Amino acid sequence: MTARLLKSFENKLPCDLFLRIHKSYIINLNYIINYDRNTNVFLIFGTSTKLGVSKRRKKRVLEILDSNFTFV
């Protein structure tokens, strides 16, 4: 745990590897297994974690995913 804002970490992380999907979540793009466009939920590799994408960030997330990834 930390007392720092997530924004401070977001600014220090490489934007080609990390993506802010919610006010509470930054994800490493290398660990995405799947993204469900119907429920706006990511499935993260190595865990059973499912993370939701905020409505505000959905458009940007889809742009990045469409340009970089192909999901089955």
Side-chain angles (χ1 to χ4, degrees):
M1 292 196 16
T2 181
R4 297 175 81 183
L5 296 175
L6 201 53
K7 181 78 173 168
S8 66
F9 293 104
E10 180 182 15
N11 291 336
K12 293 180 182 180
L13 294 169
C15 61
D16 59 331
L17 292 176
F18 292 89
L19 177 62
R20 183 90 179 252
I21 62 168
H22 187 275
K23 70 176 185 172
S24 301
Y25 310 128
I26 297 175
I27 61 171
N28 183 327
L29 297 173
N30 291 326
Y31 288 91
I32 297 172
I33 293 177
N34 198 4
Y35 176 69
D36 185 340
R37 292 174 188 264
N38 296 319
T39 61
N40 297 320
V41 171
F42 278 102
L43 179 61
I44 306 300
F45 175 74
T47 69
S48 58
T49 304
K50 295 179 180 180
L51 301 174
V53 176
S54 70
K55 290 178 185 178
R56 188 180 87 144
R57 296 180 189 271
K58 182 180 178 181
K59 182 179 178 183
R60 178 72 179 137
V61 167
L62 290 175
E63 289 171 356
I64 290 171
L65 292 179
D66 288 341
S67 66
N68 294 310
F69 296 95
T70 303
F71 294 113
V72 178

